[in-house]
Amino acid sequence: MEAFTPMIAAAMQLPEHRIDNTLKLLLSGATIPFISRYRKESTGGLDEVKIGEINDRYNKLAELAKRKETVRSTIEGQGKMTDELSRRIDRCWDATELEDIYLPYKPKRKTRAEAARQKGLEPLAQTLLLQRTGSPLEKLALPYVKGEVKDADEALKGARDIIAELVSENEQTRQTLRRQFDRKGMIHSKVAKGKETDEAAAKYRDYFDFCEPLRRCSSHRLLALRRGEAEGILKVSITPDDEEMCMEGLKRHYVKGRSECSQEVAAAVEDAYKRLLRPSIETEFAALSKAKADEEAIRVFAANLRQLLLAPPLGQKRVLGIDPGFRTGCKVVCLDAQGALLHNEAIYPHPPKSEQALAARKLVKLVEQYKIEAIALGNGTASRDTELFVTSQRYDRPVQVFVVSEDGASIYSASKTAREEFPDYDVTVRGAVSIGRRLMDPLAELVKIDAKSIGVGQYQHDVDQTQLKASLDQTVESCVNLVGVNVNTASKHLLTYVSGLGPTLAQNIVDYRTANGPFRSRRELLKVPRMGAKAFEQCAGFLRIPQAANPLDNSAVHPESYGIVEQMAKDLHCTVNELMQDKQLRAAIRPENYVTETVGLPTLTDILQELDKPGRDPRQTIQAMEFDPNVRTIDDLREGMELPGIVTNITNFGCFVDFGIKEKGLVHVSQLADHFVSDPTTVVSIHQHVRVRVMGIDRERKRIQLTMKQG
């Protein structure tokens, strides 16, 4: 760890002691949410993003250190380690450079060059490389014509193979070519022979004959190209802008003069470039550009997911959830304020059954019988028709109607989680319950669904799945701990993401709660099987216990700081409860009086803010979305129309907007604002209500172009 601290500090431009303290906490088992919230004195107030970056950089360096040991042991095993080589490996902390150092010693399958060496042709190759002899080539090669070498041509061919491999494994040569690829690399794509179908054209027409500088190729375009390649529709390649110039540059470095030997070396260099170097560096840049595109796509996905998870909750209200449909009817469920299923049935207000009067009577009766306060309506098939039907009824109480995203609901309804929750109900009931619960608390419901299925990413199935999962899991964990969790009502799925818990402890908490009733204090958590002191330290501050005897148990104040709050109350001659309820008492607190060796002003400031609004939910207040009633299908759209809509997905090329029809419209990044926008997330957010104007309609491809520009 000590060796890595200076490197991470230099890369992140942070003091070494802050990096060192953060790494010590991470390696001791502390979670990122816990460190960022409760260890600000140690880290200097680093946020979750910076702590996550420190963690990632440490893991990469640790992985590189292991690779260095493999390289070292392999070279030593060959008896080829020198003092200079050993020093180079010690100093090297760049993965590409390390692989270049290792390449000449790396065990490989039998190459043409290795076969030539086994025939004894290496001395001939070295003679040709010197390019000093004026002897005829046949005379030079003649001594090597023996055994498996049949004639001079075969000897020379083997020598050229050896030279080609030497050229391709030369560090300087590889770096020179890398610079050419980096500065002037072009990515090309062409349609594969026989793949010019209408279906392929609909998806990849723009890439049938495409060429662009690699460094300017955006994440979404590169991922689209690679997907087309994976599907066998596109042929994709990366080459320097001027290959002839590259090859001539290499020849100038290796070819000296115009002798016959020089001509052999020139031929070997050309072979090295075409057969070995270019494919190798192209593969390298394909991987690097893909990794960069993955990183950008994952960043956008994580940002979208965060906004979705932190969407405003309706809260604990009695909700009627509807999964709309035509032929199969609308599945209706009634939920209590805690989200428990009270009733379910199907109504058929739409064709082909068209039982509008009966459906209306049932709906009105359910609202009255279960004292429904809000209706959650899925935004899938028949959503607009069902919304019109629901809002046209007269109820015995005010009822708000919200349209809720169904993305991932079908995944949840068929999942093991849903089967465990509702073993006696079919997928349609489970889906409707999920829709209703999403309105009440999006975070608590969406954590049950694989984040990739929620529908807020771009090319999520094409990016590195391990990195994607790690990023999304970290995002979910961050959101859950930011909001806090009621330990007496949370599902095991929600508890799993609480700092320090995980699946086993989450299940143990639920089991303990079932056997012993609600938790009455945070201290009682220590009675949960396998809840040790470390796990308690990590999770306690994020778990809430409403109606606990100690009001701090329903706040973000960590139990380790209860003594500080109690001392504050004692100094003001009041109880902790009185301190939390009286703003004037809190105003009299001088935080600097409570600074100790381990507790500084950052922690004290957080405590005072929490006392001001204990257990506050950082999420905003929910707003209902009202679509234009005159627009029900794509055929109702006209260019120039202005419409209200809601942002459902953000990509680095723009955002998608739902305005109440099956198809979503795209606001290209160039149409998001009157000024230049490089990052769409600086202008719009998931679930933001916007007004858009229709710019273009492609009814055949079902694509709608929108603008948010004024005028």
Side-chain angles (χ1 to χ4, degrees), residues 393-613:
Q393 307 309 317
R394 297 184 65 178
Y395 306 105
D396 68 335
R397 70 194 64 241
V399 177
Q400 281 187 290
V401 179
F402 297 87
V403 177
V404 178
S405 170
E406 289 184 13
D407 285 332
S410 60
I411 302 291
Y412 162 77
S413 62
S415 70
K416 181 184 176 184
T417 300
R419 292 195 300 274
E420 287 175 355
E421 284 194 280
F422 303 104
D424 301 325
Y425 295 95
D426 67 16
V427 291
T428 60
V429 175
R430 296 171 192 159
V433 170
S434 183
I435 288 167
R437 286 178 173 177
R438 285 185 189 199
L439 175 62
M440 298 168 73
D441 190 339
L443 178 60
E445 190 61 22
L446 290 172
V447 294
K448 302 173 186 175
I449 304 169
D450 180 357
K452 289 186 294 184
S453 304
I454 296 176
V456 290
Q458 54 172 337
Y459 298 100
Q460 57 260 43
H461 301 293
D462 301 300
V463 302
D464 184 294
Q465 295 301 293
T466 302
Q467 287 184 28
L468 177 64
K469 185 179 186 308
S471 177
L472 298 186
D473 284 351
Q474 188 173 320
T475 301
V476 176
E477 181 184 36
S478 171
C479 292
V480 168
N481 290 289
L482 175 67
V483 172
V485 171
N486 183 339
V487 73
N488 286 326
T489 59
S491 68
K492 71 174 182 182
H493 312 285
L494 189 59
L495 288 167
T496 295
Y497 288 101
V498 172
S499 166
L501 293 185
T504 302
L505 269 175
Q507 184 63 60
N508 290 354
I509 287 173
V510 172
D511 293 343
Y512 181 93
R513 193 173 69 195
T514 303
N516 300 281
F519 288 90
R520 291 171 290 280
S521 72
R522 279 173 168 166
R523 278 284 149 198
E524 193 180 349
L525 285 162
L526 288 166
K527 296 180 181 179
V528 173
R530 299 185 68 176
M531 177 69 78
K534 186 69 178 180
F536 178 78
E537 174 198 60
Q538 297 296 304
C539 73
F542 303 104
L543 296 174
R544 309 280 186 267
I545 302 180
Q547 287 82 51
N550 187 339
L552 294 174
D553 281 351
N554 193 36
S555 75
V557 177
H558 197 282
E560 67 187 10
S561 298
Y562 283 9
I564 297 170
V565 180
E566 288 161 1
Q567 186 61 50
M568 289 174 175
K570 183 180 178 182
D571 292 346
L572 292 167
H573 310 291
C574 66
T575 66
V576 169
N577 201 34
E578 289 168 341
L579 181 63
M580 294 176 73
Q581 293 178 358
D582 193 325
K583 188 173 183 179
Q584 287 186 322
L585 282 171
R586 294 194 300 275
I589 296 171
R590 296 177 64 83
E592 58 270 19
N593 294 341
Y594 301 94
V595 173
T596 68
E597 287 185 7
T598 55
V599 179
L601 285 175
T603 293
L604 292 166
T605 301
D606 283 349
I607 289 172
L608 291 175
Q609 287 177 346
E610 188 61 24
L611 293 179
D612 196 43
K613 293 180 180 177

Side-chain angles (χ1 to χ4, degrees), residues 186-481:
M186 305 292 291
I187 186 164
H188 310 259
S189 68
K190 291 190 177 297
V191 62
K193 191 174 181 181
K195 297 292 184 179
E196 307 90 340
T197 63
D198 290 341
E199 183 183 355
K203 290 172 69 177
Y204 299 110
R205 180 189 302 160
D206 296 341
Y207 303 112
F208 276 9
D209 188 10
F210 175 82
C211 181
E212 181 177 45
L214 180 62
R215 63 195 326 180
R216 290 218 304 262
C217 188
S218 63
S219 168
H220 65 274
R221 279 203 297 275
L222 194 135
L223 290 172
L225 287 167
R226 292 303 178 191
R227 178 187 284 182
E229 181 182 43
E231 292 176 5
I233 294 169
L234 301 177
K235 295 283 187 184
V236 181
S237 62
I238 300 171
T239 59
D241 186 27
D242 190 337
E243 286 205 276
E244 283 299 319
M245 189 176 76
C246 274
M247 203 145 46
E248 290 306 313
L250 289 180
K251 286 179 181 177
R252 280 196 299 273
H253 182 73
Y254 285 98
V255 180
K256 313 298 180 189
R258 298 182 181 180
S259 68
E260 286 186 303
C261 288
S262 300
Q263 290 172 19
E264 290 295 299
V265 172
V269 170
E270 188 167 334
D271 176 48
Y273 176 81
K274 290 180 178 178
R275 181 171 58 87
L276 301 171
L277 269 171
R278 187 184 67 190
S280 174
I281 304 299
E282 179 182 2
T283 299
E284 200 176 288
F285 272 77
L288 285 170
S289 59
K290 173 67 163 55
K292 188 177 177 182
D294 284 2
E295 186 179 328
E296 174 63 14
I298 290 170
R299 182 194 68 80
V300 171
F301 198 154
N304 286 351
L305 178 63
R306 184 176 186 84
Q307 292 177 16
L308 192 66
L309 293 175
L310 295 179
L314 179 67
Q316 294 190 329
K317 306 280 187 183
R318 293 179 295 278
V319 169
L320 184 144
I322 304 179
D323 186 358
F326 288 114
R327 183 182 55 80
T328 57
C330 299
K331 183 60 70 174
V332 178
V333 296
C334 298
L335 309 176
D336 68 13
Q338 283 71 46
L341 176 61
L342 303 174
H343 176 81
N344 80 92
E345 66 176 282
I347 58 175
Y348 299 88
H350 311 308
K353 287 196 175 182
S354 301
E355 297 174 352
Q356 276 216 357
L358 177 60
R361 286 197 299 273
K362 285 184 176 181
L363 189 63
V364 171
K365 183 181 177 183
L366 290 174
V367 168
E368 180 181 356
Q369 183 178 350
Y370 292 99
K371 298 180 173 56
I372 296 299
E373 298 170 89
I375 295 175
L377 179 64
N379 68 342
T381 303
S383 177
R384 292 302 303 279
D385 301 77
T386 307
E387 182 186 15
L388 183 64
F389 167 73
V390 168
T391 54
S392 64
Q393 307 309 317
R394 297 184 65 178
Y395 306 105
D396 68 335
R397 70 194 64 241
V399 177
Q400 281 187 290
V401 179
F402 297 87
V403 177
V404 178
S405 170
E406 289 184 13
D407 285 332
S410 60
I411 302 291
Y412 162 77
S413 62
S415 70
K416 181 184 176 184
T417 300
R419 292 195 300 274
E420 287 175 355
E421 284 194 280
F422 303 104
D424 301 325
Y425 295 95
D426 67 16
V427 291
T428 60
V429 175
R430 296 171 192 159
V433 170
S434 183
I435 288 167
R437 286 178 173 177
R438 285 185 189 199
L439 175 62
M440 298 168 73
D441 190 339
L443 178 60
E445 190 61 22
L446 290 172
V447 294
K448 302 173 186 175
I449 304 169
D450 180 357
K452 289 186 294 184
S453 304
I454 296 176
V456 290
Q458 54 172 337
Y459 298 100
Q460 57 260 43
H461 301 293
D462 301 300
V463 302
D464 184 294
Q465 295 301 293
T466 302
Q467 287 184 28
L468 177 64
K469 185 179 186 308
S471 177
L472 298 186
D473 284 351
Q474 188 173 320
T475 301
V476 176
E477 181 184 36
S478 171
C479 292
V480 168
N481 290 289

Side-chain angles (χ1 to χ4, degrees), residues 300 303-309 311-312 455-456 646-651 656 684-689:
V300 171
N304 286 351
L305 178 63
R306 184 176 186 84
Q307 292 177 16
L308 192 66
L309 293 175
V456 290
I646 185 167
V647 177
T648 60
N649 194 6
I650 303 172
T651 71
F656 289 91
V684 290
S685 57
I686 297 289
H687 283 170
Q688 181 179 337
H689 293 191

Side-chain angles (χ1 to χ4, degrees), residues 30-51:
T31 67
I32 292 173
F34 175 82
I35 296 169
S36 68
R37 182 70 175 82
Y38 296 113
R39 292 295 180 264
K40 290 180 178 175
E41 283 81 0
S42 293
T43 68
L46 294 178
D47 61 19
E48 289 189 8
V49 175
K50 291 292 185 187
I51 296 168

